[in-house]
Amino acid sequence: MKIVSLDPRVTRENIDAETLEGELQPLDHFETYEVFEQRKRGTHHVHVGNVHAPSHELAMVFAKEQYTRRGQCVNLWVVRTSDIFVTEYMDSDIFETTATKKYREPDAYKVIDRINAFKAREAAKNA
Amino acid sequence: MYGNAYVENPAATNSLTANEDPIKLAEFEARIAAGEKIEPNDWMPEQYKKQLIRMIEQHAHSEIIGALPEGTWITRAPGFRRKLALMAKVQDEIGHGQLLYSAAETLGKSREDMTNDLISGKSKYSNVFNYPAKTWADSAVIAWLIDAGAIVNQLANSKGSYGPYCRALERICAEESFHLKYGHDNVVFLATGTPKQREMVQDALSRWWEPIMHFFGPPDKMSVHTEVLMRWKVKMGTNDDMRQTFLDMYVPKIWDLGLTLPDPNLKKNEETGKWEYTEPNWEVFKQVINGNGPCNKERLAVRRKAEEKGRWVRNAILRKDAKYVTPLA
C-alpha cells in the first residue's frame, strides 16, 4: 500500500506503508563532538551541548545551526567527545578544600584588629 | 512539543526499587530531595534510568514527528513572512529533537537505537501528531495550543532531577516562547478576520480539542509508581495537574476571541478553582497510540524514507576510525 497524504509532496514520494529496510548500525549517525560557545568577547567559552558529526568541519556547521539560533555568539569550539578527559562525580571529594588550606583564602587574612591595636598604642605613647 | 501522554510499561508494575542497594538508594534520594541534580555517571536506580530514557526518547521523537504536520504547510503558507516564521519554527523543533536525543544518549541508549525503535514502531511519540493538519488554520492551532501544552509540561520537567534533560529543556523553553507568540498571532489573525477565516479557525479548533485534552495523558491513578517517580523528580506533576494548568491559562484566551470549544460541560468551578470538563474518549486515545490513528502510518513512513534517502550521504562521509563514547553531559 502506498502512502496517500494531504501533503502532495509526501504523496509524490510514492512511499510503501510497510517495508522496513535495514536497521541503523552503531555509529551510522557518527560520533559526537562537544560544543563550546563564547557569547561575548572577553567572556569564557561555555559548554552548551554536543552534535553528531563525521568531521570537525561538519561538527562546526551543525553546532552553529543547533546552538547559535538565538542571541549572540562570537566564537565556537568543537572537540571530539572521545578526546575529553573527565573526572568522576563519585571522586568529587578531591575538590574539597580542607581547613588546613585556609591560608589560600583571602578571608584568612584579617589585619584590622592588629592595625587598630597598633594605632591605639601609638596614640597612648604620644598622649 | 511533548505532553505527558506516554504509555506506562505494564511489566514494570512491581516496586521500582526492589533490587536496589538501600544505602545507595537513600543517598540518591537525599540528593534529589536536597534539590541537587543527577548527572550521567552518578549511581542511579535501574528504573530511574529506564523511565528517563523512555520519557526523553519519546519527547525527542515527538519533536521530530511533530515537525511533519506543520511542515506540510510551509509550501502553502499565506505570505512570505508566515512562511519564514513557520520554517524557523519547524527548524527549531528538529533542533529540539537533537538536544533531547543527546540527553537520552547520556543514559546509554544510542541515537541509532532510538531511531530504529521509532521507525519500527516500538517507541512512541506524542499522540497528537497522528492527526492531520487539514488547513492552514490547523497549523495555527497547533503552533499556539499544542506548543502551549508542551510548554506547560516542559517548564515543569525542566525543574526535574536529571541534569542533561533539565539543561535541554531550558534551551527548548526559551526557543518555544516564540512559537507560542507566533501561533497566537496566527489564530488571532484568523479569528478577527473574514467570516471564512473565522470559520476555518473554529473548525480547526473543534477538531483539535480532543487531541489536546488527550495530550496530557489519562487521568491520574495515584499508584505507588507515580508516587516514586514524583519523589525522584522524573514526573513533575500529575497528568491532571498539567491539564488544569493548561485549561486555566488558555481557555479564557480562546473564549476571548469568541471561539467555542466542543464541550458543553467545560467551565471553571469557582469554588474549587478547578476546571470541569467531559472526559475525552480514552478508548480513541488508546487506539491512536497503538497505531490506528489517521496518520500513524504516514508519519513513520515519511521518517523512514528520510532515513533511507539520507543513508548514502552519511555512508559517504563516515569516518572509518570513528569511536563512539557516550556524550558527556
Side-chain angles (χ1 to χ4, degrees), chain B residues 13 50 96 128 132 146 193 216 225 254 262 268 276 294 297 309 316 324:
Chain B
T13 47
K50 251 176 119 167
H96 298 169
V128 280
I146 302 292
F216 299 93
H225 211 103
I254 294 168
K268 188 168 182 170
E276 293 168 359
K297 282 208 167 66
K309 280 178 103 174
Y324 185 78

Side-chain angles (χ1 to χ4, degrees), chain A:
Chain A
M1 194 185 76
K2 299 289 184 190
I3 295 288
V4 178
S5 171
L6 281 173
D7 187 341
R9 297 170 309 163
V10 171
T11 307
R12 279 199 298 272
E13 284 286 338
N14 215 16
I15 314 171
D16 279 319
E18 311 290 347
T19 56
L20 188 60
E21 237 181 73
E23 294 207 320
L24 284 162
Q25 300 303 310
L27 280 167
D28 273 0
H29 280 189
F30 316 119
E31 62 204 314
T32 58
Y33 289 72
E34 302 297 325
V35 180
F36 298 81
E37 176 197 47
Q38 188 186 32
R39 309 208 79 161
K40 236 169 79 177
R41 281 170 183 269
T43 60
H44 284 290
H45 287 70
V46 175
H47 179 252
V48 286
N50 64 62
V51 292
H52 284 245
S55 65
H56 286 99
E57 288 77 9
L58 272 172
M60 201 55 104
V61 171
F62 295 151
K64 181 189 164 288
E65 273 315 302
Q66 178 79 58
Y67 293 104
T68 68
R69 297 184 64 73
R70 302 285 197 287
Q72 63 177 79
C73 169
V74 295
N75 199 246
L76 274 182
W77 293 346
V78 293
V79 56
R80 262 187 213 132
T81 307
S82 57
D83 284 341
I84 297 185
F85 278 60
V86 295
T87 58
E88 297 285 345
Y89 282 100
M90 58 186 278
D91 296 333
S92 55
D93 56 344
I94 62 172
F95 303 115
E96 269 170 34
T97 307
T98 56
T100 56
K101 288 184 182 168
K102 199 70 181 139
Y103 53 81
R104 302 192 309 182
E105 310 292 336
D107 66 357
Y109 298 90
K110 293 203 168 79
V111 293
I112 195 69
D113 288 349
R114 191 169 274 272
I115 292 172
N116 287 339
F118 169 75
K119 283 184 175 168
R121 271 201 317 275
E122 288 298 301
K125 233 190 275 175
N126 300 333

Side-chain angles (χ1 to χ4, degrees), chain B residues 94-220:
Chain B
I94 300 299
H96 298 169
Q98 309 292 324
L99 291 173
L100 291 160
Y101 281 131
S102 287
E105 275 184 274
T106 62
L107 291 160
K109 184 165 183 179
S110 75
R111 188 167 302 206
E112 290 83 359
D113 281 345
M114 288 188 267
T115 306
N116 285 337
D117 286 350
L118 169 64
I119 291 175
S120 72
K122 190 174 160 206
S123 293
K124 302 295 179 205
Y125 52 87
S126 250
N127 214 28
V128 280
F129 304 123
N130 289 317
Y131 291 86
K134 287 189 174 159
T135 71
W136 171 251
D138 289 57
S139 88
V141 168
I142 295 171
W144 186 31
L145 295 175
I146 302 292
D147 276 68
I151 290 174
V152 166
N153 193 56
Q154 288 165 171
L155 272 178
N157 282 352
S158 73
K159 315 248 173 356
S161 62
Y162 190 57
Y165 189 37
C166 299
R167 291 191 284 270
L169 286 175
E170 274 166 23
R171 214 163 238 285
I172 289 170
C173 287
E175 292 190 354
E176 287 206 343
S177 49
F178 136 66
H179 302 179
L180 191 62
K181 286 281 206 179
Y182 155 85
H184 192 212
D185 182 88
N186 254 338
V187 170
V188 170
F189 189 88
L190 294 172
T192 57
T194 65
K196 179 80 191 159
Q197 285 171 324
R198 268 191 78 80
E199 192 189 312
M200 254 174 83
V201 75
Q202 178 62 64
D203 170 60
L205 187 61
S206 301
R207 279 184 289 107
W208 281 89
W209 190 245
E210 184 163 84
I212 288 170
M213 291 295 280
H214 283 154
F215 184 71
F216 299 93
D220 308 306

